[in-house]
Coordinates of all heavy atoms in Angstrom, one line a residue:
N1 N 1.8 -92.0 75.8 CA 1.5 -91.4 77.1 C 2.5 -90.2 77.3 O 3.6 -90.3 77.0 CB 1.8 -92.4 78.2 CG 0.8 -93.6 78.2 OD1 -0.3 -93.4 77.7 ND2 1.2 -94.7 78.7
V2 N 1.9 -89.2 77.8 CA 2.7 -88.0 78.1 C 2.6 -87.7 79.6 O 1.6 -88.0 80.3 CB 2.3 -86.7 77.3 CG1 2.5 -86.9 75.9 CG2 0.8 -86.4 77.6
D3 N 3.7 -87.1 80.1 CA 3.7 -86.8 81.6 C 3.2 -85.3 81.9 O 2.8 -85.0 83.0 CB 5.1 -86.9 82.1 CG 5.6 -88.4 81.9 OD1 5.0 -89.3 82.5 OD2 6.5 -88.6 81.1
R4 N 3.4 -84.5 80.9 CA 2.9 -83.1 81.0 C 2.8 -82.5 79.6 O 3.3 -83.0 78.7 CB 3.9 -82.3 81.9 CG 4.8 -81.4 81.3 CD 5.7 -80.7 82.3 NE 5.5 -81.1 83.7 CZ 5.8 -80.3 84.7 NH1 6.3 -79.1 84.5 NH2 5.6 -80.7 85.9
V5 N 2.1 -81.4 79.5 CA 1.9 -80.7 78.2 C 2.3 -79.2 78.4 O 1.8 -78.6 79.4 CB 0.5 -80.8 77.7 CG1 0.3 -80.0 76.5 CG2 0.1 -82.3 77.5
N6 N 3.2 -78.7 77.6 CA 3.5 -77.3 77.6 C 2.6 -76.6 76.5 O 2.5 -77.2 75.4 CB 4.9 -77.0 77.3 CG 5.8 -77.4 78.4 OD1 6.8 -78.2 78.2 ND2 5.6 -77.0 79.6
I7 N 2.0 -75.5 76.8 CA 1.3 -74.7 75.8 C 1.8 -73.3 75.7 O 2.0 -72.7 76.7 CB -0.2 -74.7 76.2 CG1 -0.8 -76.1 76.3 CG2 -1.0 -73.8 75.2 CD1 -2.2 -76.1 76.8
A8 N 2.1 -72.9 74.5 CA 2.7 -71.5 74.3 C 1.8 -70.9 73.2 O 1.6 -71.4 72.1 CB 4.1 -71.6 73.8
V9 N 1.3 -69.7 73.5 CA 0.5 -68.9 72.6 C 1.3 -67.7 72.3 O 1.6 -66.9 73.2 CB -0.9 -68.6 73.1 CG1 -1.7 -67.7 72.1 CG2 -1.7 -69.8 73.5
L10 N 1.6 -67.5 71.0 CA 2.5 -66.4 70.6 C 1.9 -65.5 69.6 O 1.0 -66.0 68.8 CB 3.8 -67.0 70.1 CG 4.5 -68.0 71.0 CD1 5.6 -68.8 70.2 CD2 5.1 -67.4 72.2
G11 N 2.3 -64.3 69.5 CA 1.8 -63.4 68.5 C 2.6 -62.1 68.4 O 2.2 -61.1 67.8
N12 N 3.8 -62.1 69.0 CA 4.6 -60.9 69.1 C 5.4 -60.6 67.8 O 5.9 -59.5 67.6 CB 5.4 -60.9 70.3 CG 6.3 -62.1 70.5 OD1 6.1 -63.1 69.8 ND2 7.3 -62.0 71.3
K13 N 5.7 -61.6 67.0 CA 6.5 -61.4 65.8 C 5.7 -61.5 64.5 O 6.1 -60.9 63.5 CB 7.7 -62.4 65.8 CG 8.8 -62.1 66.8 CD 10.0 -63.0 66.6 CE 11.1 -62.7 67.6 NZ 12.2 -63.5 67.4
D14 N 4.7 -62.3 64.6 CA 3.8 -62.5 63.4 C 2.5 -61.7 63.5 O 2.1 -61.5 64.6 CB 3.6 -64.0 63.2 CG 4.8 -64.8 62.9 OD1 5.6 -64.3 62.1 OD2 5.0 -65.8 63.6
P15 N 1.9 -61.3 62.4 CA 0.7 -60.6 62.5 C -0.5 -61.5 62.8 O -1.7 -61.1 62.6 CB 0.5 -60.0 61.1 CG 1.3 -60.9 60.2 CD 2.4 -61.4 61.0
H16 N -0.3 -62.6 63.3 CA -1.4 -63.5 63.7 C -0.9 -64.2 65.0 O 0.2 -64.3 65.4 CB -1.7 -64.5 62.6 CG -0.5 -65.4 62.3 ND1 0.5 -65.1 61.5 CD2 -0.2 -66.7 62.8 CE1 1.4 -66.1 61.4 NE2 1.0 -67.0 62.2
V17 N -1.9 -64.8 65.7 CA -1.6 -65.5 66.9 C -1.5 -67.0 66.5 O -2.3 -67.5 65.7 CB -2.7 -65.3 68.0 CG1 -2.5 -66.2 69.2 CG2 -2.8 -63.9 68.4
H18 N -0.5 -67.7 67.0 CA -0.4 -69.1 66.8 C 0.0 -69.8 68.1 O 0.4 -69.2 69.1 CB 0.6 -69.5 65.7 CG 2.0 -69.1 66.0 ND1 2.5 -67.8 65.9 CD2 3.0 -69.9 66.5 CE1 3.8 -67.8 66.2 NE2 4.1 -69.0 66.6
A19 N -0.3 -71.1 68.2 CA -0.1 -71.8 69.4 C 0.7 -73.1 69.2 O 0.7 -73.6 68.1 CB -1.5 -72.2 70.0
H20 N 1.4 -73.4 70.2 CA 2.2 -74.7 70.2 C 1.6 -75.5 71.4 O 1.5 -75.0 72.5 CB 3.7 -74.4 70.5 CG 4.3 -73.6 69.4 ND1 5.0 -74.1 68.4 CD2 4.4 -72.3 69.2 CE1 5.5 -73.2 67.6 NE2 5.1 -72.0 68.1
V21 N 1.3 -76.8 71.1 CA 0.9 -77.7 72.1 C 2.0 -78.8 72.1 O 2.1 -79.5 71.1 CB -0.5 -78.3 71.9 CG1 -0.8 -79.3 73.0 CG2 -1.5 -77.2 71.9
I22 N 2.8 -78.9 73.2 CA 4.0 -79.7 73.1 C 3.9 -80.8 74.2 O 3.9 -80.5 75.4 CB 5.2 -78.9 73.4 CG1 5.2 -77.7 72.4 CG2 6.5 -79.7 73.3 CD1 6.1 -76.5 72.8
P23 N 3.7 -82.1 73.8 CA 3.7 -83.2 74.7 C 5.1 -83.4 75.3 O 6.0 -83.3 74.6 CB 3.2 -84.4 73.9 CG 3.5 -84.0 72.5 CD 3.5 -82.5 72.4
R24 N 5.2 -83.6 76.6 CA 6.5 -83.8 77.2 C 6.5 -85.1 78.0 O 5.5 -85.5 78.6 CB 6.7 -82.6 78.2 CG 6.7 -81.2 77.6 CD 7.7 -81.0 76.5 NE 9.0 -81.2 76.9 CZ 9.8 -80.3 77.5 NH1 9.4 -79.1 77.7 NH2 11.0 -80.5 77.8
R25 N 7.6 -85.8 77.9 CA 7.8 -87.0 78.6 C 9.1 -87.0 79.4 O 10.0 -86.3 79.1 CB 7.9 -88.1 77.5 CG 6.7 -88.3 76.7 CD 6.9 -89.2 75.5 NE 5.7 -89.4 74.7 CZ 5.3 -88.5 73.8 NH1 6.0 -87.4 73.5 NH2 4.2 -88.7 73.1
V26 N 9.1 -87.7 80.5 CA 10.3 -87.7 81.4 C 11.5 -88.2 80.6 O 12.6 -88.0 81.0 CB 10.1 -88.5 82.7 CG1 9.0 -87.8 83.6 CG2 9.6 -89.9 82.5
T27 N 11.3 -88.9 79.6 CA 12.4 -89.5 78.8 C 12.9 -88.4 77.8 O 14.0 -88.7 77.1 CB 12.0 -90.7 78.0 OG1 10.8 -90.4 77.2 CG2 11.7 -91.9 79.0
D28 N 12.3 -87.2 77.7 CA 12.8 -86.2 76.8 C 14.2 -85.7 77.3 O 14.4 -85.6 78.5 CB 11.9 -85.0 76.8 CG 10.5 -85.2 76.1 OD1 10.4 -86.3 75.4 OD2 9.6 -84.4 76.3
D29 N 15.1 -85.5 76.3 CA 16.4 -85.0 76.7 C 16.4 -83.7 77.5 O 17.2 -83.4 78.3 CB 17.2 -84.8 75.4 CG 17.6 -86.1 74.7 OD1 17.6 -87.1 75.4 OD2 17.9 -86.0 73.5
N30 N 15.4 -82.8 77.2 CA 15.3 -81.6 77.9 C 14.1 -81.5 78.8 O 13.5 -80.4 79.0 CB 15.3 -80.4 76.9 CG 14.1 -80.4 76.0 OD1 13.4 -81.4 75.9 ND2 13.8 -79.3 75.4
Y31 N 13.7 -82.6 79.4 CA 12.5 -82.6 80.3 C 12.8 -81.7 81.5 O 13.9 -81.7 82.1 CB 12.2 -84.0 80.8 CG 11.0 -84.1 81.7 CD1 9.8 -84.1 81.1 CD2 11.1 -84.1 83.1 CE1 8.6 -84.1 81.9 CE2 10.0 -84.2 83.9 CZ 8.7 -84.2 83.3 OH 7.6 -84.2 84.1
G32 N 11.8 -80.9 82.0 CA 12.0 -80.1 83.1 C 12.4 -78.6 82.8 O 12.5 -77.8 83.7
V33 N 12.7 -78.4 81.6 CA 13.1 -77.0 81.1 C 12.2 -76.6 80.0 O 11.4 -77.5 79.4 CB 14.6 -76.9 80.8 CG1 15.5 -77.1 81.9 CG2 14.9 -77.7 79.6
S34 N 12.2 -75.4 79.5 CA 11.5 -74.9 78.4 C 11.7 -75.9 77.2 O 12.8 -76.3 77.0 CB 11.9 -73.5 78.0 OG 11.5 -73.2 76.7
P35 N 10.6 -76.1 76.4 CA 10.8 -77.0 75.2 C 11.8 -76.5 74.2 O 12.3 -77.2 73.4 CB 9.4 -77.0 74.6 CG 8.5 -76.5 75.6 CD 9.3 -75.7 76.6
W36 N 12.2 -75.2 74.3 CA 13.1 -74.6 73.4 C 14.5 -74.5 74.0 O 15.5 -74.1 73.3 CB 12.7 -73.1 73.0 CG 11.4 -73.2 72.2 CD1 11.3 -73.4 70.9 CD2 10.1 -73.0 72.7 NE1 10.0 -73.4 70.5 CE2 9.2 -73.2 71.6 CE3 9.5 -72.8 73.9 CZ2 7.8 -73.1 71.7 CZ3 8.1 -72.7 74.0 CH2 7.3 -72.9 72.9
E37 N 14.7 -75.0 75.2 CA 16.1 -75.0 75.8 C 16.7 -76.4 75.6 O 16.0 -77.4 75.7 CB 16.0 -74.8 77.3 CG 15.6 -73.4 77.6 CD 15.6 -73.2 79.2 OE1 16.6 -73.5 79.8 OE2 14.6 -72.7 79.6
S38 N 18.0 -76.5 75.3 CA 18.7 -77.7 75.2 C 18.0 -78.7 74.3 O 17.9 -79.9 74.6 CB 18.9 -78.4 76.6 OG 19.5 -77.4 77.5
V39 N 17.6 -78.2 73.2 CA 16.9 -79.1 72.2 C 17.9 -79.8 71.3 O 18.9 -79.2 70.8 CB 15.9 -78.2 71.3 CG1 15.2 -79.0 70.3 CG2 14.9 -77.5 72.3
A40 N 17.6 -81.0 71.0 CA 18.4 -81.7 70.0 C 18.3 -81.1 68.6 O 17.2 -80.4 68.3 CB 17.9 -83.2 69.9
A41 N 19.2 -81.2 67.8 CA 19.2 -80.6 66.4 C 18.0 -81.2 65.6 O 17.7 -82.4 65.7 CB 20.5 -80.9 65.7
H42 N 17.4 -80.3 64.8 CA 16.3 -80.7 64.0 C 16.9 -81.4 62.8 O 18.0 -81.2 62.3 CB 15.5 -79.5 63.5 CG 14.7 -78.9 64.6 ND1 13.5 -79.2 64.9 CD2 15.1 -77.9 65.5 CE1 13.0 -78.5 65.9 NE2 14.0 -77.7 66.3
S43 N 16.1 -82.3 62.2 CA 16.4 -83.0 61.0 C 15.2 -83.0 60.1 O 14.1 -83.0 60.6 CB 17.0 -84.4 61.2 OG 16.0 -85.2 61.8
K44 N 15.4 -82.9 58.8 CA 14.2 -82.9 57.9 C 13.7 -84.3 57.7 O 14.4 -85.3 57.7 CB 14.6 -82.4 56.5 CG 14.9 -80.9 56.5 CD 15.1 -80.4 55.1 CE 15.3 -78.9 55.1 NZ 15.3 -78.3 53.8
L45 N 12.3 -84.4 57.6 CA 11.7 -85.7 57.4 C 11.9 -86.1 55.9 O 11.9 -85.2 55.0 CB 10.2 -85.6 57.6 CG 9.7 -85.5 59.0 CD1 8.2 -85.3 59.0 CD2 10.0 -86.8 59.8
P46 N 12.1 -87.3 55.6 CA 12.1 -87.8 54.2 C 10.8 -87.4 53.6 O 9.8 -87.4 54.3 CB 12.4 -89.3 54.3 CG 12.9 -89.5 55.7 CD 12.4 -88.4 56.6
P47 N 10.8 -87.2 52.3 CA 9.5 -86.8 51.6 C 8.3 -87.8 51.9 O 7.2 -87.3 52.1 CB 9.9 -86.8 50.1 CG 11.3 -86.5 50.1 CD 11.9 -87.2 51.4
A48 N 8.6 -89.1 51.9 CA 7.5 -90.0 52.2 C 6.9 -89.9 53.6 O 5.7 -89.9 53.8 CB 8.0 -91.5 52.0
D49 N 7.8 -89.7 54.6 CA 7.3 -89.5 55.9 C 6.6 -88.1 56.1 O 5.6 -88.0 56.7 CB 8.5 -89.5 56.9 CG 9.1 -90.9 57.1 OD1 8.4 -91.8 56.7 OD2 10.2 -91.0 57.6
R50 N 7.1 -87.1 55.4 CA 6.4 -85.8 55.4 C 5.0 -85.9 54.8 O 4.0 -85.4 55.4 CB 7.2 -84.8 54.6 CG 6.7 -83.4 54.8 CD 7.7 -82.3 54.2 NE 8.3 -82.7 52.9 CZ 9.6 -82.8 52.7 NH1 10.4 -82.6 53.7 NH2 10.1 -83.1 51.5
T51 N 4.8 -86.7 53.7 CA 3.5 -86.9 53.1 C 2.6 -87.5 54.1 O 1.4 -87.1 54.3 CB 3.7 -87.7 51.9 OG1 4.5 -87.0 50.9 CG2 2.3 -88.0 51.2
I52 N 3.1 -88.5 54.8 CA 2.3 -89.2 55.8 C 1.8 -88.3 57.0 O 0.7 -88.2 57.3 CB 3.0 -90.4 56.4 CG1 3.2 -91.5 55.3 CG2 2.3 -91.0 57.6 CD1 4.1 -92.6 55.7
V53 N 2.8 -87.5 57.5 CA 2.5 -86.6 58.6 C 1.4 -85.5 58.1 O 0.5 -85.2 58.8 CB 3.7 -85.9 59.1 CG1 3.4 -84.7 60.0 CG2 4.6 -86.9 59.8
V54 N 1.6 -85.0 56.9 CA 0.7 -84.0 56.4 C -0.7 -84.6 56.3 O -1.7 -84.0 56.6 CB 1.2 -83.4 55.1 CG1 0.1 -82.6 54.4 CG2 2.4 -82.5 55.3
E55 N -0.8 -85.8 55.7 CA -2.1 -86.4 55.6 C -2.8 -86.7 56.9 O -4.0 -86.5 57.1 CB -2.0 -87.8 54.8 CG -3.3 -88.4 54.4 CD -4.2 -87.4 53.6 OE1 -3.7 -86.7 52.8 OE2 -5.4 -87.5 53.9
L56 N -2.0 -87.1 57.9 CA -2.6 -87.4 59.3 C -3.1 -86.0 59.9 O -4.1 -86.0 60.5 CB -1.5 -88.0 60.2 CG -1.2 -89.5 59.9 CD1 0.0 -89.9 60.7 CD2 -2.4 -90.4 60.1
L57 N -2.3 -85.0 59.7 CA -2.7 -83.7 60.2 C -4.0 -83.2 59.5 O -5.0 -82.7 60.2 CB -1.7 -82.6 60.0 CG -0.5 -82.7 60.9 CD1 0.7 -81.8 60.4 CD2 -0.8 -82.4 62.3
K58 N -4.1 -83.4 58.2 CA -5.4 -83.0 57.5 C -6.5 -83.8 58.0 O -7.6 -83.3 58.2 CB -5.2 -83.3 56.0 CG -4.3 -82.3 55.3 CD -4.2 -82.7 53.8 CE -3.3 -81.7 53.0 NZ -3.2 -82.2 51.6
Q59 N -6.4 -85.1 58.2 CA -7.4 -86.0 58.8 C -7.9 -85.5 60.1 O -9.0 -85.4 60.4 CB -7.0 -87.4 58.8 CG -6.9 -88.1 57.5 CD -6.3 -89.5 57.6 OE1 -6.2 -90.1 58.7 NE2 -5.8 -90.0 56.5
G60 N -6.9 -85.1 61.0 CA -7.2 -84.6 62.3 C -8.0 -83.3 62.3 O -9.0 -83.1 63.0
F61 N -7.5 -82.4 61.4 CA -8.3 -81.1 61.3 C -9.7 -81.4 60.7 O -10.6 -80.7 61.2 CB -7.5 -80.1 60.4 CG -6.3 -79.5 61.1 CD1 -5.1 -79.7 60.7 CD2 -6.6 -78.7 62.3 CE1 -4.0 -79.1 61.3 CE2 -5.5 -78.1 62.9 CZ -4.2 -78.3 62.5
D62 N -9.8 -82.2 59.8 CA -11.1 -82.5 59.2 C -12.1 -83.1 60.3 O -13.2 -82.7 60.3 CB -11.0 -83.6 58.1 CG -10.5 -83.0 56.8 OD1 -10.3 -81.8 56.7 OD2 -10.2 -83.8 55.9
E63 N -11.5 -83.9 61.2 CA -12.4 -84.4 62.3 C -12.8 -83.3 63.2 O -13.9 -83.3 63.8 CB -11.6 -85.4 63.1 CG -11.4 -86.7 62.4 CD -10.6 -87.7 63.1 OE1 -10.5 -87.6 64.4 OE2 -10.1 -88.7 62.5
V64 N -12.0 -82.3 63.4 CA -12.2 -81.2 64.4 C -13.1 -80.1 63.8 O -14.1 -79.6 64.4 CB -10.9 -80.6 65.0 CG1 -11.2 -79.4 65.9 CG2 -10.2 -81.7 65.8
V65 N -12.7 -79.6 62.6 CA -13.3 -78.4 62.0 C -14.1 -78.7 60.8 O -14.8 -77.8 60.2 CB -12.3 -77.3 61.8 CG1 -11.7 -76.8 63.0 CG2 -11.3 -77.7 60.8
G66 N -14.1 -79.9 60.3 CA -14.8 -80.3 59.0 C -13.8 -80.2 57.9 O -12.7 -79.6 57.9
P67 N -14.2 -80.9 56.8 CA -13.3 -80.9 55.6 C -13.0 -79.5 55.0 O -13.9 -78.6 55.1 CB -14.1 -81.7 54.6 CG -15.2 -82.4 55.3 CD -15.5 -81.6 56.6
G68 N -11.8 -79.3 54.6 CA -11.4 -78.1 54.0 C -11.9 -78.0 52.6 O -12.4 -78.9 52.0
P69 N -11.7 -76.8 51.9 CA -12.2 -76.6 50.5 C -11.6 -77.6 49.5 O -12.3 -78.0 48.6 CB -11.7 -75.2 50.2 CG -11.1 -74.6 51.4 CD -11.0 -75.7 52.4
S70 N -10.3 -78.0 49.7 CA -9.7 -78.9 48.8 C -10.3 -80.3 48.8 O -10.2 -81.1 47.8 CB -8.2 -79.0 49.0 OG -8.0 -79.6 50.3
S71 N -11.0 -80.7 49.9 CA -11.6 -82.0 49.9 C -12.9 -82.1 49.2 O -13.5 -83.1 49.1 CB -11.7 -82.5 51.4 OG -12.6 -81.6 52.1
H72 N -13.4 -80.9 48.7 CA -14.7 -80.9 48.0 C -14.5 -81.1 46.5 O -15.5 -81.1 45.7 CB -15.5 -79.6 48.3 CG -15.9 -79.4 49.7 ND1 -16.8 -80.2 50.3 CD2 -15.4 -78.6 50.6 CE1 -16.9 -79.8 51.6 NE2 -16.1 -78.8 51.8
C73 N -13.3 -81.1 46.0 CA -13.0 -81.2 44.6 C -13.1 -82.6 44.1 O -12.9 -83.5 44.7 CB -11.6 -80.7 44.3 SG -11.4 -79.0 44.8

């Protein structure tokens, strides 16, 4: 469950437009301010977790836009 969603659409530094959809919860350390303010330090995912996240993202995109070229091989 999320309490609010922040959406940022950017394109001023890269030659393409990209978007961030950021679920926010009242339990977030920086709730009530920009998602980029007072943020906890990032840490890298272990390789096994990264593989799981990438696979879940691929499945989600396949559901929305259809299978990508690599899934036809």
Side-chain angles (χ1 to χ4, degrees):
N1 295 332
V2 297
D3 300 298
R4 105 181 358 208
V5 175
N6 290 127
I7 299 172
V9 179
L10 308 167
N12 53 343
K13 288 188 177 182
D14 297 315
H16 63 275
V17 174
H18 65 277
H20 298 263
V21 178
I22 306 158
R24 304 300 302 274
R25 296 169 182 84
V26 293
T27 56
D28 290 347
D29 290 340
N30 64 341
Y31 184 80
V33 297
S34 163
W36 292 277
E37 291 180 51
S38 305
V39 177
H42 290 271
S43 60
K44 289 188 176 188
L45 286 174
D49 290 345
R50 188 170 42 242
T51 300
I52 292 168
V53 169
V54 168
E55 189 55 40
L56 289 170
L57 287 168
K58 286 179 181 178
Q59 290 172 16
F61 283 119
D62 285 351
E63 288 177 18
V64 173
V65 297
S70 63
S71 59
H72 297 291
C73 299

